[in-house]
Amino acid sequence: VGIAIIGGGLWVFSRNTRSQVNLYFLLMCLSTFVWLFATGIAFSILEKPIAAMWFKIDNFGVMFISINVFGFMSYFSGAKPKPWLIVGYVIAGVLGIFTLSTNYLVRDIQEFYWGYFPKWGVLSMAFFPFFFGYMIAGFWVLLHEYKRTINITRKNQR
C-alpha cells in the first residue's frame, strides 16, 4: 500500500511540478509511505532491536503526516498557510529527531504472538495535540472554503 501511495504521489507531482497543491500531495504521500513501509518492515523482523529501529522510522513518518495534510488542504482550497506550515514543520522536525534519537516517543516494543508493536513514551502525549490540531485545521480550511465558494463546479471539488 505504501508503494502504491508514493507511486500515486509521484505521478500527480510529475503532472505539474510547479504546483503547490501537487507538491503537498507528494509530501503527504511521502510521509504516509514512510509510515506504512517502515511498519510493514517492522512487522516482518524477528530481532527486537531491528524491529524497534523500524518502528522509530515509522513514527518519524507519522510526525509529518498531519502537517503535510494541512499543507495540501490549505493550498488546494487557496489558503496561504505559510506561517503555520513553518511552525508545523519545525515541530514535526523536532519530534522526528526525538523519535529517531531517543526513547521519549517510542520507548520500547512489545512482543505479541503475531509480532512486535511499539510502546509509546511520555513525549508521545505531546504529539497527539499537534497531530490532531493540524488535521482539524486542514479540514476546517476545506470546510471554510466550501461554505464560502459560490461556483458549483469549484464547490464539488471541495
Side-chain angles (χ1 to χ4, degrees):
V1 172
I3 292 170
I5 287 172
I6 195 63
L10 288 167
W11 183 80
V12 167
F13 183 68
S14 72
R15 298 280 153 230
N16 183 356
T17 59
R18 293 177 175 239
S19 166
Q20 291 282 61
V21 175
N22 291 14
L23 171 64
Y24 279 96
F25 184 77
L26 174 61
L27 292 173
M28 187 174 63
C29 291
L30 178 62
S31 53
T32 304
F33 163 77
V34 170
W35 165 50
L36 292 174
F37 187 78
T39 300
I41 298 291
F43 282 153
S44 67
I45 297 293
L46 299 176
E47 294 84 23
K48 187 174 181 177
I50 298 171
M53 178 197 69
W54 280 102
F55 278 120
K56 285 186 173 198
I57 294 169
D58 135 340
N59 276 258
F60 180 82
V62 170
M63 297 302 145
F64 291 90
I65 290 174
S66 64
I67 188 62
N68 289 329
V69 167
F70 173 75
F72 170 71
M73 291 180 173
S74 295
Y75 281 107
F76 181 76
S77 68
K80 303 294 183 215
K82 196 160 192 147
W84 292 109
L85 283 173
I86 293 169
V87 169
Y89 279 113
V90 168
I91 293 169
V94 168
L95 288 171
I97 289 168
F98 271 93
T99 299
L100 293 175
S101 62
T102 72
N103 292 332
Y104 294 131
L105 280 130
V106 179
R107 67 178 169 90
D108 196 13
I109 60 172
Q110 185 173 353
E111 186 172 3
F112 293 93
Y113 71 91
W114 43 265
Y116 295 112
F117 197 76
K119 289 182 183 178
W120 289 281
V122 67
L123 193 56
S124 63
M125 291 301 126
F127 167 70
F128 290 117
F130 165 75
F131 183 86
F132 290 111
Y134 270 96
M135 292 299 274
I136 290 167
F139 285 104
W140 184 86
V141 165
L142 282 180
L143 181 62
H144 177 72
E145 180 62 20
Y146 179 80
K147 288 180 178 180
R148 197 172 70 84
T149 301
I150 296 170
N151 181 318
I152 196 69
T153 303
R154 185 81 173 142
K155 198 172 199 104
N156 285 337
Q157 289 179 333
R158 307 280 183 254

